[in-house]
Amino acid sequence: MRRSLFLQIVEFVEAHDPYFVQKRNAAGVLGLLSLQKVTATMRMLTYGLAADAVDDYVRIGESTTIYLRSPNNANITRLLAEGERRGFLGMLRSIDCMHWKWKNCLVAWKGMCVRGDIHNPSIILEAVASYDLWIWHAFFGLPRSHNDINVLERSHLFANLAEGRTPATNYSINGHNYTTGYYLADGIYPPWSTFVKTIPHPQENKHKNFATTQESIRKDVKRAFGVLQACFAIVRGPSRFWDAATLKDIMIACIIMHNIIVEDEHGVYMPNNNYEVFEENVDLSHEPTIDFVQFLQNHQRIRNREAHSQLQADLIEYLW
């Protein structure tokens, strides 16, 4: 990354966490500089180094070293315009899952972190990425015994949509009007109105054209995974940490850094509060919510198989 971007990150980190601010100890001696702490952290994430491997470079000890937002109206407009340019009206982005090997998985947890055909423990990352490799959604923490459908059921991807809090997405294909954007997904995902999947064994030419185009564009999220692992070796190799919460913090930090770099390279600067971290314990909200009947209707609309089939048929004709 550029030097100016790194210094900007240092400023943000200092403002967010007082740990990174240089302070005096009880003896009145100045502690480590913010640059030293952030540099050590960045080297651990980027090169996958152990905590004590940065001692000589920044003079910082192991004990000191170990220490996503939803799109708005403007973002959705940009995503829809890009989707239309690529032939998929109403497309928001692509979704898929990635596995991070967990070398030091506890023995008591190993049974749920492996699968019958794969014996290496790992943790699953569900992510949604757009054409510019921006990761708009990340859900991390479920063990490998889950598949993509189980992860989808647990993630918060469609929470705002079910609660009626997402910006409107209106488009028309072959005379049919749609009000919900969709994600390109592989065959394991369910036939919901919010997913457009490929055709497994296309026979007609228009079906072959649709399958080829869908599979090509769907690789956006695969490319995002590849770039994330290329930039941050700590998530490319097996994790050496013991705590699942630590793994989550590392993964979210790498995704945020990845997005910041994408912003800088494309010359697009987002507000400072553009990341959402979903925790298990949340504060009670006093904002008005939709009634239960409306919530059920939205929930059923998301899982509508007929709408899924109609949307896919319209897109096949539109691309042809």
Side-chain angles (χ1 to χ4, degrees):
M1 68 180 71
R2 296 185 305 168
R3 176 183 175 86
S4 59
L5 176 60
F6 178 78
L7 294 178
Q8 187 178 12
I9 291 172
V10 173
E11 292 179 4
F12 289 159
V13 169
E14 284 182 313
H16 176 74
D17 192 340
Y19 167 82
F20 288 92
V21 178
Q22 186 182 32
K23 297 181 289 290
R24 293 185 181 273
N25 59 20
V29 179
L30 279 174
L32 297 169
L33 294 169
S34 301
L35 286 172
Q36 290 177 288
K37 297 179 181 179
V38 176
T39 300
T41 304
M42 289 293 296
R43 287 181 62 84
M44 288 183 64
L45 296 177
T46 304
Y47 301 114
L49 299 176
D52 57 355
V54 296
D55 291 357
D56 296 336
Y57 183 74
V58 292
R59 299 179 182 178
I60 184 171
E62 178 178 0
S63 60
T64 304
T65 303
I66 296 183
Y67 176 80
L68 293 138
R69 83 183 168 88
S70 300
N72 54 29
N73 285 312
N75 301 139
I76 287 181
T77 300
R78 181 169 62 87
L79 291 172
L80 292 177
E82 177 61 22
E84 182 176 0
R85 185 185 68 82
R86 303 172 80 181
F88 279 84
L89 292 174
M91 181 191 72
L92 294 177
R93 41 225 145 179
S94 350
I95 181 173
D96 206 346
C97 289
M98 181 190 85
H99 293 264
W100 186 14
K101 292 182 181 179
W102 191 2
K103 179 181 179 181
N104 288 344
C105 175
L106 300 180
V107 175
W109 296 352
K110 189 172 182 179
M112 65 179 181
C113 291
V114 298
R115 205 170 62 189
D117 56 336
I118 301 175
H119 303 289
N120 295 322
S122 64
I123 304 294
I124 301 175
L125 167 68
E126 178 191 74
V128 172
S130 55
Y131 68 98
D132 56 1
L133 304 183
W134 174 277
I135 297 178
W136 295 92
H137 158 81
F139 179 72
F140 178 80
L142 292 187
R144 190 178 202 132
S145 56
H146 293 74
N147 59 24
D148 293 7
I149 300 177
N150 304 140
V151 176
L152 177 66
E153 295 284 359
R154 293 282 300 274
S155 75
H156 54 267
L157 178 60
F158 296 123
N160 288 337
L161 180 59
E163 296 171 3
R165 296 180 179 178
T166 56
T169 306
N170 299 310
Y171 58 98
S172 178
I173 309 177
N174 292 343
H176 296 103
N177 297 321
Y178 297 93
T179 59
T180 303
Y182 58 84
Y183 304 81
L184 299 187
D186 58 22
I188 192 175
Y189 282 87
W192 294 356
S193 64
T194 49
F195 293 129
V196 169
K197 305 191 294 180
T198 187
I199 300 175
H201 305 288
Q203 301 298 325
E204 302 180 23
N205 288 335
K206 62 181 179 181
H207 290 170
K208 293 179 180 179
N209 175 67
F210 171 81
T212 301
T213 307
Q214 193 270 0
E215 292 169 10
S216 174
I217 299 177
R218 181 168 56 85
K219 294 187 182 298
D220 288 345
V221 65
K222 294 289 190 182
R223 292 191 300 115
F225 287 150
V227 172
L228 180 68
Q229 292 177 322
C231 291
F232 302 100
I234 195 169
V235 298
R236 182 173 66 245
S239 171
R240 297 184 296 269
F241 291 89
W242 300 90
D243 187 13
T246 302
L247 301 185
K248 179 179 179 180
D249 291 340
I250 292 172
M251 181 62 73
I252 296 300
C254 290
I255 291 174
I256 292 176
M257 290 299 306
H258 164 84
N259 284 348
I260 291 175
I261 295 172
V262 169
E263 287 179 9
D264 184 67
E265 290 179 348
H266 289 79
V268 178
Y269 297 95
M270 304 293 184
N272 296 340
N273 59 345
N274 61 345
Y275 301 101
E276 294 180 0
V277 179
F278 291 82
E279 303 290 349
E280 295 295 332
N281 299 320
V282 297
D283 296 330
L284 294 177
S285 173
H286 299 284
E287 298 180 1
T289 58
I290 60 175
D291 56 40
F292 186 64
V293 175
Q294 183 63 47
F295 176 83
L296 288 180
Q297 291 176 353
N298 292 342
H299 184 75
Q300 293 171 356
R301 180 163 56 90
I302 293 172
R303 299 169 181 249
N304 192 319
R305 292 173 176 261
E306 290 76 14
H308 167 81
S309 301
Q310 182 64 61
L311 175 60
Q312 187 176 54
D314 287 339
L315 286 171
I316 291 173
E317 294 298 331
Y318 179 80
L319 286 172
W320 184 246

